[in-house]
């Protein structure tokens, strides 16, 4: 059976102590031979709703902390970048560069990521037709000198894409499960279960969310067929400095992942 990709960690690096506590709780997934595990956290959240929102420790300090996680736990690391200049620097530490949803068509950012040795995870924009993700993938593959396209080509060259819901009116997202099938024609697909329950701008100067729907949506995606899952998780989501309303409490994550593995065995 192929391994399930699992990307998990806190939305943003709040402090080194918390990051290490969460990484320690996630270590069980690293040791599970059914899972290809990546620890995720952001050194900067450049697209927060309000200018007063917490963004993170910044590039230099953030990468220093992520390197410590890598050294201590032996985990593969994923983080997002927002500017082309960050790609080569971040790729010295992390294994996967993530392209944020709002920037999924940003050519210079995609090209900069493609020029590194890192894998690239492109989050499909809330505004994007799922079929159009092929153009973002092509920018990466062509930059890497690959003239072909398709699921296997993207997989072999370290490119995957993430579904995180589509805008449905104002302040709401929905997941069209057809998009998982459509995007999987072009690359391995990660289902971002926690951002899919986000409610943009619902808390005034920050986003809200309905975390009680994380697990049902993840199970639905598993039954459709995806290559992996993305969960932002926290010891205390209610007091998290970013995306608390849609993050999954660590205490719920293990049971959720075990259920998804069982569904994938059937599929």
């Amino acid at each position: 059976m192929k391994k399930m990709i699992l990307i998990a960690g806190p939305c943003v690096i709040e402090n080194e102590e918390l990051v290490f506590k969460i990484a320690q709780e996630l270590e069980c997934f690293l040791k599970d031979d059914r899972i290809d595990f990546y620890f995720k956290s952001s050194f900067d959240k450049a697209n927060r709703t309000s200018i007063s929102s917490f963004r993170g420790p910044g590039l230099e300090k953030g990468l220093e902390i992520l390197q410590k996680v890598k050294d201590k736990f032996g985990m593969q690391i994923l983080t997002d970048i927002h500017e082309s200049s960050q790609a080569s620097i971040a790729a010295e530490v992390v294994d996967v560069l993530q392209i944020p949803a709002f920037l999924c068509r940003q050519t210079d950012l995609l090209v900069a990521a493609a020029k590194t040795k890192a894998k690239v995870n492109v989050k499909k924009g809330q505004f994007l037709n799922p079929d159009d993700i092929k153009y973002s993938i092509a920018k990466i593959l062509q930059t890497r000198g690959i003239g072909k396209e398709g699921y296997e080509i993207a997989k072999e060259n370290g490119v995957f894409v993430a579904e995180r819901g589509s805008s449905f009116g104002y302040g709401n997202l929905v997941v069209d499960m057809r998009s998982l099938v459509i995007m999987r024609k072009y690359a391995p697909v990660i289902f971002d279960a926690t951002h899919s329950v986000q409610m943009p701008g619902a808390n005034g100067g920050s986003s809200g969310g309905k975390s009680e729907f994380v697990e049902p949506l993840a199970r639905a995606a598993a039954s459709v067929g995806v290559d992996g899952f993305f969960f932002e998780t926290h010891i205390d989501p209610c007091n998290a400095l970013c995306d608390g309303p849609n993050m999954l409490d660590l205490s719920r994550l293990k049971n959720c992942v075990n259920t998804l593995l069982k569904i994938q065995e059937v599929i």
Side-chain angles (χ1 to χ4, degrees):
M1 186 180 74
K2 72 173 184 179
K3 289 189 175 185
M4 182 181 83
I5 297 169
L6 177 62
I7 301 165
C11 173
V12 67
I13 298 170
E14 298 182 21
N15 58 67
E16 185 174 318
E17 181 183 5
L18 179 64
V19 165
F20 270 64
K21 283 182 180 178
I22 295 173
Q24 189 170 20
E25 290 293 323
L26 296 172
E27 197 172 13
C28 61
F29 299 121
L30 181 66
K31 297 175 179 179
D32 191 324
D33 60 10
R34 299 170 296 174
I35 294 173
D36 182 17
F37 180 74
Y38 297 82
F39 181 84
K40 181 271 171 184
S41 198
S42 301
F43 57 78
D44 181 24
K45 300 299 292 185
N47 58 354
R48 297 300 305 276
T49 304
S50 170
I51 196 169
S52 61
S53 296
F54 180 77
R55 289 180 53 168
L59 179 65
E60 184 176 348
K61 181 62 177 176
L63 290 177
E64 179 185 319
I65 292 171
L66 292 175
Q67 182 67 63
K68 289 180 180 179
V69 171
K70 193 170 193 176
D71 293 341
K72 180 174 176 61
F73 298 100
M75 292 175 171
Q76 300 178 95
I77 305 293
L78 177 147
T79 199
D80 37 19
I81 56 173
H82 295 83
E83 300 176 11
S84 302
S85 60
Q86 297 172 340
S88 60
I89 301 169
E92 293 177 7
V93 173
V94 307
D95 302 274
V96 184
L97 296 173
Q98 182 166 273
I99 307 299
F102 286 129
L103 301 176
C104 68
R105 293 179 53 172
Q106 200 75 7
T107 301
D108 290 345
L109 189 62
L110 292 163
V111 168
K115 287 180 177 178
T116 73
K117 67 183 187 303
K119 297 178 182 179
V120 184
N121 181 35
V122 184
K123 299 188 77 173
K124 179 183 73 64
Q126 302 91 319
F127 51 85
L128 196 70
N129 175 347
D131 217 23
D132 286 346
I133 198 67
K134 63 186 175 186
Y135 300 113
S136 297
I137 296 168
K139 290 175 183 180
I140 298 168
L141 292 177
Q142 289 178 28
T143 299
R144 291 182 168 177
I146 311 299
K148 300 178 182 179
E149 61 180 37
Y151 176 93
E152 292 296 339
I153 299 295
K155 182 179 179 179
E156 290 169 10
N157 288 277
V159 182
F160 36 91
V161 297
E163 169 60 66
R164 48 111 353 116
S166 298
S167 296
F168 188 71
Y170 298 115
N172 197 19
L173 299 172
V174 296
V175 178
D176 181 352
M177 292 295 166
R178 295 175 299 179
S179 70
L180 304 174
V181 179
I182 293 168
M183 292 197 298
R184 210 160 179 263
K185 293 186 293 184
Y186 309 114
V189 170
I190 308 299
F191 180 64
D192 183 348
T194 45
H195 283 103
S196 291
V197 302
Q198 195 176 64
M199 302 182 74
N203 286 346
S206 63
S207 293
K210 296 281 189 179
S211 64
E212 64 266 31
F213 295 119
V214 169
E215 291 133 310
L217 283 179
R219 293 195 298 267
S223 68
V224 171
V226 292
D227 299 87
F229 297 87
F230 179 112
F231 295 97
E232 286 189 336
T233 187
H234 199 282
I235 292 170
D236 184 12
C238 291
N239 290 304
L241 299 181
C242 177
D243 279 3
N246 56 264
M247 277 202 280
L248 189 66
D249 193 297
L250 263 172
S251 63
R252 293 161 54 190
L253 183 60
K254 292 177 184 178
N255 284 339
C256 179
V257 171
N258 284 332
T259 300
L260 298 177
L261 286 166
K262 290 176 182 178
I263 294 172
Q264 287 205 328
E265 286 177 13
V266 175
I267 297 301

